[in-house]
Amino acid sequence: MKSLLHRLTTTRQGGQGMTEYIIIVALIAVAAIGVYALFGKTIRNQVAGLAGEVAGTGSSSAISAAGAAASSAATTANTDKKMNTYGN
């Protein structure tokens, strides 16, 4: 009887650890999605500018687009978000 009780309690603790791990991974994923949503355009334009410079084709338009996207993201990040402005 003692061995059955011990086996049941240790199995539940293992499931708890896995659940905690899944919650942490989910929170990191949500944070990454938020960062990508805010700075995604900037990152894409910077990578495009870098690729153009490496290829030797010049990429002043991609670099300027990255700057414009960065300033737009900074403006968006500094505005107050309230429930009545959600989605704007």
Side-chain angles (χ1 to χ4, degrees), residues 3 6 9 11 17-18 25 29-30 34-35 37 47-48 57-58 61 64 67-68 73-76 81 85:
S3 66
H6 178 68
T9 57
T11 304
M18 182 60 78
V25 168
V30 167
V35 168
V47 170
T57 59
S61 63
S64 62
T75 303
T76 303
K81 299 286 183 177
T85 60

Side-chain angles (χ1 to χ4, degrees), residues 6-38:
H6 178 68
R7 197 172 53 191
L8 287 175
T9 57
T10 56
T11 304
R12 289 184 183 180
Q13 288 176 356
Q16 178 186 358
M18 182 60 78
T19 303
E20 291 171 354
Y21 177 73
I22 290 171
I23 290 171
I24 290 170
V25 168
L27 289 174
I28 291 171
V30 167
I33 290 169
V35 168
Y36 183 76
L38 192 59

